Amino acid sequence: MPKGQNKQSSARGDDFSLPRAKILRGRKNFDRLFENDAHFCRGKNINLRYKIVDDSSFGCQMAFIVTTKLGKANKRNRTRRLIKEAYRLHQHLLYTPLQKATITFHGAFMAKTVDLVFAEAEQDVIRLLEQVRVQLPAL
């Protein structure tokens, strides 16, 4: 079995996994994401920074950022896990339009606070993904 894939699949056949290949890595990718021409969406507790990359292949990679200014490591890690889980469950909101347009998307969810409840994180992630999905045809 390839690295980063789960052994189990859901009963409906949908792939809700989040393998390592879908997580943004590398300094060059992060530098590109934090350039001035990157797009930015604000949520109540989470922000989303994204960029459409000039690449001929289709792909969607996401990063999850919680700065050290927000608190101790255990709270930051918990917040990162909550955001990652909310994205994993709702990545299809963004994945389907990107696949139709065959564009490469890099994004980063950035937490504003570590005192998040999963329901709040999920609402913010859904709202941000829908904002991006609406803006995609205009890009």
Side-chain angles (χ1 to χ4, degrees):
M1 175 163 286
K3 188 175 183 180
Q5 289 186 353
N6 294 336
K7 294 178 185 177
Q8 300 173 352
S9 63
S10 65
R12 295 185 326 191
D14 296 334
D15 185 20
F16 287 109
S17 65
L18 189 62
R20 285 185 172 199
K22 290 186 178 181
I23 296 179
L24 186 69
R25 300 186 189 282
R27 183 182 177 105
K28 190 181 288 187
N29 289 333
F30 276 94
D31 287 345
R32 195 179 306 145
L33 192 59
F34 284 94
E35 290 175 348
N36 289 335
D37 60 342
H39 302 278
F40 192 77
C41 295
R42 295 183 192 278
K44 183 178 176 185
N45 298 307
I46 302 169
N47 293 332
L48 175 63
R49 187 177 212 58
Y50 66 95
K51 186 164 183 171
I52 306 300
V53 181
D54 295 330
D55 193 357
S56 61
S57 65
F58 159 73
C60 179
Q61 293 183 328
M62 197 66 70
F64 306 93
I65 302 171
V66 184
T67 63
T68 56
K69 296 177 184 178
L70 293 179
K72 295 186 177 184
N74 59 340
K75 289 189 175 191
R76 293 194 318 263
N77 291 338
R78 180 182 179 279
T79 303
R80 190 176 296 113
R81 284 194 306 268
L82 289 176
I83 297 170
K84 192 181 287 190
E85 179 66 10
Y87 172 71
R88 185 187 71 81
L89 292 174
H90 299 285
Q91 64 185 338
H92 63 277
L93 295 173
L94 187 62
Y95 191 82
T96 306
L98 288 174
Q99 194 172 20
K100 288 179 184 175
T102 61
I103 55 178
T104 302
F105 181 90
H106 288 176
F109 285 105
M110 300 180 297
K112 295 181 187 178
T113 180
V114 291
D115 300 323
L116 275 177
V117 180
F118 180 72
E120 293 174 348
E122 189 174 29
Q123 285 177 345
D124 267 2
V125 167
I126 292 170
R127 193 175 305 119
L128 291 169
L129 290 176
E130 287 175 350
Q131 284 179 10
V132 171
R133 188 178 68 192
V134 169
Q135 293 176 3
L136 279 179
L139 298 176

